[in-house]
Amino acid sequence: MTPTRHFLAIPDFSREEILATLDLAARMKSGAYRERPLAGKTLAMIFAKSSTRTRVSFEVGAYQLGGHALFLSSRDIQLGRGEPIRDTARVLSRYVDGIMIRTFDQRDVEELAEWGSVPVINGLTDLLHPCQIMADLQTLRENLGPDLERVKVAWIGDGNNMANSWLNAAFRLGFELRVATPEGYRPNQAILDRARGAAKIVLTDDPREALAGADVVNTDVWTSMGQEEETAARERAFQGYCVDEALMATASERAIFLHCLPAHRGEEVTEGVIEGRQSRVWDEAENRLHVQKAIMARLMGGEQHD
Ligand code: CP
Ligand code: NVA
């Protein structure tokens, strides 16, 4: 029997699988893909944190592929009252054909995958946000061409779940990643070390050094979901890390600006940059729909892995 495939982190897919998934997402976006690989199938979506894009794009995407999605707030299901993840995993696997989960601890997502018998998709944890990075990679290809190895990506701000997932993408695809974070807000060390073995990674506390020659300028909120008590300390630590017009001008002439959203204008990015000519944030948000449809089609709908 073929083992159940999951998407808990970017490296769960090989380089070829990532590129094939992005190709499939592009076909879906163009309207050329008309299959219904999820006909009669259900995706359970467990949310322990808020969401606009992830929730709506997965639900709409499942419907467009012929399937159905169930929104399960962890506050409403028994998981929120302490039912073990391994029990939830085995029960849901008897009803549904795939589970998407947004939660805090990456180990909870791994436990769900370990104990369930259907594909599990990571819709964000404190550690990683792989679906978002797939959408970002699709946006890169649309703007900078299909050859992702040649692009230089800059990350400015917190070494958070997004930064860690960019490192994972560099690990798999080999592009140059330039990360600027304050001391004390660095990305995960193990993920950083692994990426350094496969790609050129620049780590600095100077946003201008990270932006020099960058084709992609990427940032995110300074305070992620679950860190609200640290807001004041973080606002102090990230002074100088706002992507404003002056900073943006130090990147490559062809540079695009990305932000996974929601954005805090006047904190990590200015109004002028997020609404400016280089911003691709709305395409980036749209691409969540297309890449996640491609991921579901592959994991739950039998679309072939290479
Ligand atoms: N970018 C992202 O994951 O957005 P939501 O939190 O709205 O799902
Ligand atoms: N880093 C942010 C991303 C939100 C989509 C968070 O985890 O809250």
Side-chain angles (χ1 to χ4, degrees):
M1 216 175 83
T2 342
T4 305
R5 295 290 307 273
H6 304 288
F7 189 61
L8 311 186
I10 295 274
D12 286 350
F13 283 1
S14 67
R15 172 192 159 79
E16 290 67 33
E17 285 170 340
I18 292 170
L19 296 177
T21 304
L22 295 174
D23 287 342
L24 180 58
R27 271 176 61 211
M28 288 173 165
K29 187 171 185 175
S30 75
Y33 184 93
R34 311 192 77 84
E35 318 298 321
R36 293 286 182 270
L38 263 53
K41 297 192 173 181
T42 300
L43 174 76
M45 308 189 297
I46 303 173
F47 282 92
K49 292 176 176 172
S50 303
S51 171
T52 298
R53 283 143 286 268
T54 305
R55 176 181 176 176
V56 177
S57 55
F58 266 108
E59 186 160 342
V60 170
Y63 173 73
Q64 289 180 356
L65 294 176
H68 171 66
L70 279 179
F71 172 72
L72 303 172
S73 160
S74 63
R75 285 172 291 282
D76 300 332
I77 59 174
Q78 299 288 7
L79 190 62
R81 294 181 58 247
E83 185 169 16
I85 289 176
R86 58 183 183 275
D87 294 3
T88 307
R90 285 174 289 184
V91 171
L92 287 182
S93 295
R94 302 289 177 109
Y95 302 139
V96 304
D97 306 278
I99 304 171
M100 191 285 299
I101 178 165
R102 165 169 288 195
T103 191
F104 295 86
D105 195 334
Q106 179 75 12
R107 279 170 306 193
D108 288 349
V109 178
E110 286 161 8
E111 193 177 344
L112 193 66
E114 196 180 315
W115 284 89
S117 52
V118 297
V120 173
I121 300 171
N122 182 351
L124 180 146
T125 61
D126 293 345
L127 187 71
L128 298 173
H129 197 1
C131 292
Q132 180 68 53
I133 298 303
M134 290 296 284
D136 296 3
L137 293 174
Q138 184 175 7
T139 315
L140 260 60
R141 280 183 131 193
E142 290 169 350
N143 286 277
L144 305 168
D147 187 2
L148 293 173
E149 267 170 44
R150 294 211 205 118
V151 300
K152 282 189 195 170
V153 179
W155 178 265
I156 311 296
D158 192 15
N160 63 11
N161 42 15
M162 284 291 297
N164 291 332
S165 287
W166 271 112
L167 284 163
N168 277 341
F171 164 68
R172 269 288 182 254
L173 300 176
F175 55 79
E176 182 173 332
L177 181 63
R178 310 172 67 85
V179 179
T181 71
E183 190 73 43
Y185 294 93
R186 299 280 194 240
N188 176 276
Q189 192 63 46
I191 291 175
L192 181 64
D193 291 343
R194 181 172 62 176
R196 278 187 160 144
K200 183 174 175 193
I201 309 292
V202 175
L203 187 61
T204 172
D205 57 11
D206 178 1
R208 282 175 188 265
E209 186 188 344
L211 253 67
D215 305 304
V216 183
V217 180
N218 216 314
T219 190
D220 188 10
V221 291
W222 294 336
T223 301
S224 285
M225 291 181 277
Q227 299 172 332
E228 288 75 8
E229 287 179 3
E230 301 171 23
T231 303
R234 286 173 168 272
E235 277 172 9
R236 284 192 297 275
F238 289 103
Q239 286 312 308
Y241 284 78
C242 175
V243 179
D244 59 15
E245 288 83 338
L247 197 55
M248 196 67 204
T250 65
S252 150
E253 177 59 27
R254 69 167 187 163
I256 58 169
F257 173 76
L258 297 182
H259 189 309
C260 65
L261 306 176
H264 291 173
R265 289 163 169 82
E267 291 185 25
E268 76 275 3
V269 62
T270 59
E271 174 84 6
V273 168
I274 199 167
E275 300 290 354
R277 69 169 178 89
Q278 288 160 293
S279 175
R280 297 292 181 275
V281 299
W282 315 118
D283 293 336
E284 180 187 8
E286 177 187 335
N287 288 339
R288 292 292 302 278
L289 173 66
H290 308 299
V291 291
Q292 288 159 196
K293 282 171 68 181
I295 292 167
M296 286 190 284
R298 288 180 152 255
L299 295 184
M300 296 167 58
E303 277 290 341
Q304 202 156 1
H305 286 281
D306 301 305

